[in-house]
Amino acid sequence: MTATLFRLATAGSVDDGKSTLVGRLLHDAQAILSDQLDAVARSSKDRGFGEDGAELDLALLTDGLRAEREQGITIDVAYRYFATDRRSFVLADCPGHVQYTRNTVTGTSTADAVVLLVDVRHGVVEQTRRHLAVAHLLRVEHVIIAVNKIDAVDHREEPFRQVEADVARIAAELGADSSGVSGACAPIVIPVSALRGDNVVAPSANTPWYEGEALLPILEQLPDADHARRRTEPLRLPVQTVIRPHSEFRGYAGQIVSGSLAAGDEVLIQPGGHRTAVTAVHRTALQARAAAEQGGASLRAEAPESVVVELAGQFDVARGHLLAACEAPATERDELTLALAWLGDGALTPGARVLVKHGTQTVKGLVEEITDRLDLATLTGQPTRELVLNDIGTVTLRLAGALSVDDYATAKRTGAVLLIDPDSGDTLAAGMVRLPVFEESEDQDDDAAWLAG
């Protein structure tokens, strides 16, 4: 069983029970301190809990902000850390209101799995479709649909099956293949009652028609696919800073976001494409000891380690440059097509001036074209000339300088960008790079045949 840290996000509409589910997970996993539990018990009693058999308002465990408590909603992303005997978790409880979709994007962007809450009485609603679209856009590895409040429909199977069928249909409409909505794993649909604890930590006797596992055991067993894949992807090391304590030493510091690196490897410096060799890789004593304990990997640094690298030769390498695998370099482009989640208060229109942050590099950008906006009712792209808050669309940017990027579908970390307001510094959008698919024309086929002959 893996002992790696697992990142989990919850999302759903207001009052679908996200915070209660998170509280239930923490409570039943015995991840609550006694004084916290006492405080929640006192607050629950003041709110009148206990009369219907539910003695604790478990949502209080995550609704930590006063404004949230007063309004009974979650405004900001609330992060929680907990562990079971089998795995450690970082949990992001995302807000439910549509105007806080930006927070959902934030919480989901780094998640290994997202748990989407659906109130079984209301079924799949627009916010469910929006959150599924965001999870698909961000290519979250695992999507779990927690069909909550199953106790409110007397634990009947039919309402649950209706939600299950609707989710499968939406996954198909989003263009997911048979492997699921994210393209990685099929959505897992679970009937739960966060209030009563049905199928949260242990299977419930109230849903004998459900043959799957409860939520927590599933979370403990899901493969940490993203972290494992990062180590097998081509090397990408964005240079964060140049370290030169004296004239005899020049090192390039940064985090290996994918792949691995060792002395003797040849790398490309991008943009520019200069080829050179790694002469030394410096790691902290803690990193080296951890690698040695794993055995056989002590000389090769792997993602997500942060290292200092020395290179052969004299090259003008600075913050923002990328060290990449020679056999699979990044694509250098001064024009990008992005799938964009617009998070700004104002509308995005062609001609807008933005800053584009990619890894450790930031360049000026100009919005050339807005191609379409995702219609959440039909889950199809509709022609548009602008994007407004919470829209998801396709945008083309022209850049002041080339960025070394990958397609987001194959490399999340080097395929993602942020758009920033150049005046205020506010984050305006999260963008996923879409590189054009190369299609050979008949002329190119002829050229290839002529060259081969």
Side-chain angles (χ1 to χ4, degrees), residues 81-344:
Y81 304 85
F82 71 100
T84 67
D85 292 338
R86 307 173 75 179
R87 185 170 244 175
S88 299
F89 296 92
V90 176
L91 190 153
D93 181 21
C94 303
H97 278 82
V98 64
Q99 61 265 41
Y100 300 123
T101 298
R102 73 185 78 186
N103 307 61
T104 303
V105 173
T106 301
T108 306
S109 61
T110 58
D112 298 304
V114 60
V115 178
L116 299 183
L117 273 288
V118 176
D119 187 328
V120 68
R121 299 169 301 176
H122 304 148
V124 171
V125 297
E126 178 177 310
Q127 190 70 327
T128 310
R129 302 168 72 89
R130 188 188 304 278
H131 288 153
L132 281 168
V134 168
H136 174 65
L137 189 69
L138 295 172
R139 299 188 67 79
V140 179
E141 299 294 335
H142 309 287
V143 177
I144 300 172
I145 310 297
V147 185
N148 195 23
K149 304 186 183 181
I150 197 70
D151 59 307
V153 294
D154 298 325
H155 301 94
R156 287 184 295 117
E157 181 179 4
E158 292 77 9
F160 168 77
R161 296 300 178 196
Q162 182 60 55
V163 174
E164 188 179 47
D166 290 343
V167 168
R169 177 172 48 77
I170 294 171
E173 291 174 356
L174 282 168
D177 57 27
S178 59
S179 61
V181 69
S182 70
C185 298
I188 301 170
V189 190
I190 311 172
V192 303
S193 170
L195 189 63
R196 309 292 177 185
D198 292 318
N199 295 321
V200 176
V201 171
S204 172
N206 295 320
T207 55
W209 41 266
Y210 174 67
E211 298 178 347
E213 293 191 82
L215 176 60
L216 185 58
I218 290 174
L219 293 174
E220 290 177 323
Q221 297 174 57
L222 285 175
D224 190 1
D226 181 52
H227 289 180
R229 191 173 60 219
R230 287 174 69 180
R231 294 184 173 89
T232 61
E233 291 175 351
L235 171 71
R236 300 287 187 265
L237 193 161
V239 175
Q240 185 172 16
T241 189
V242 179
I243 297 177
R244 198 173 188 195
H246 52 78
S247 60
E248 301 301 319
F249 183 91
R250 181 187 290 268
Y252 307 101
Q255 183 186 37
I256 303 173
V257 297
S258 66
S260 63
L261 190 67
D265 287 356
E266 290 197 331
V267 297
L268 281 185
I269 303 169
Q270 293 189 284
H274 296 292
R275 190 171 183 138
T276 184
V278 175
T279 57
V281 178
H282 301 277
R283 314 156 84 179
T284 66
L286 183 63
Q287 288 173 322
R289 186 165 60 249
E293 289 173 356
Q294 294 176 6
S298 60
L299 298 178
R300 179 163 290 276
E302 297 179 324
E305 288 186 60
S306 294
V307 296
V308 177
V309 177
E310 289 184 79
L311 301 175
Q314 298 293 325
F315 297 98
D316 182 18
V317 181
R319 175 182 172 87
H321 280 88
L322 181 74
L323 303 184
C326 294
E327 66 278 10
T331 302
E332 297 178 13
R333 295 188 66 88
D334 59 8
E335 184 176 283
L336 292 179
T337 298
L338 304 172
L340 204 69
W342 181 248
L343 311 176

Side-chain angles (χ1 to χ4, degrees), residues 353-439:
R353 297 177 179 181
V354 296
L355 296 179
V356 182
K357 180 171 176 54
H358 174 258
T360 56
Q361 188 173 16
T362 302
V363 300
K364 293 179 180 177
L366 190 67
V367 176
E368 279 206 325
E369 184 180 12
I370 300 175
T371 309
D372 60 51
R373 168 188 171 276
L374 182 67
D375 185 327
L376 291 173
T378 63
L379 294 176
T380 57
Q382 301 296 320
T384 186
R385 289 283 295 169
E386 68 172 21
L387 295 180
V388 298
L389 179 63
N390 298 321
D391 276 350
I392 297 171
T394 304
V395 173
T396 300
L397 294 179
R398 183 153 53 91
L399 307 177
L403 293 178
S404 304
V405 300
D406 291 294
D407 193 291
Y408 186 82
T410 59
K412 282 186 177 181
R413 280 140 188 97
T414 45
V417 301
L418 291 177
L419 303 194
I420 298 171
D421 188 317
D423 296 322
S424 67
D426 293 340
T427 299
L428 298 174
M432 280 56 71
V433 175
R434 289 178 175 172
L435 292 178
V437 178
F438 178 75
E439 296 180 358

Side-chain angles (χ1 to χ4, degrees), residues 20-85:
T20 302
L21 179 65
V22 172
R24 173 63 65 184
L25 272 174
L26 298 174
H27 177 268
D28 290 6
Q30 300 182 337
I32 308 298
L33 298 176
S34 59
D35 58 337
Q36 288 179 300
L37 204 55
D38 291 342
V40 169
R42 287 194 298 272
S43 297
S44 298
K45 186 176 181 180
D46 293 340
R47 288 186 166 199
F49 270 64
E51 297 176 357
D52 61 351
E55 298 180 352
L56 297 175
D57 182 359
L58 295 171
L60 295 174
L61 290 168
T62 54
D63 289 348
L65 299 177
R66 175 176 295 180
E68 293 175 359
R69 290 195 180 195
E70 290 174 349
Q71 299 179 49
I73 63 172
T74 302
I75 294 175
D76 207 346
V77 178
Y79 288 94
R80 289 282 173 165
Y81 304 85
F82 71 100
T84 67
D85 292 338

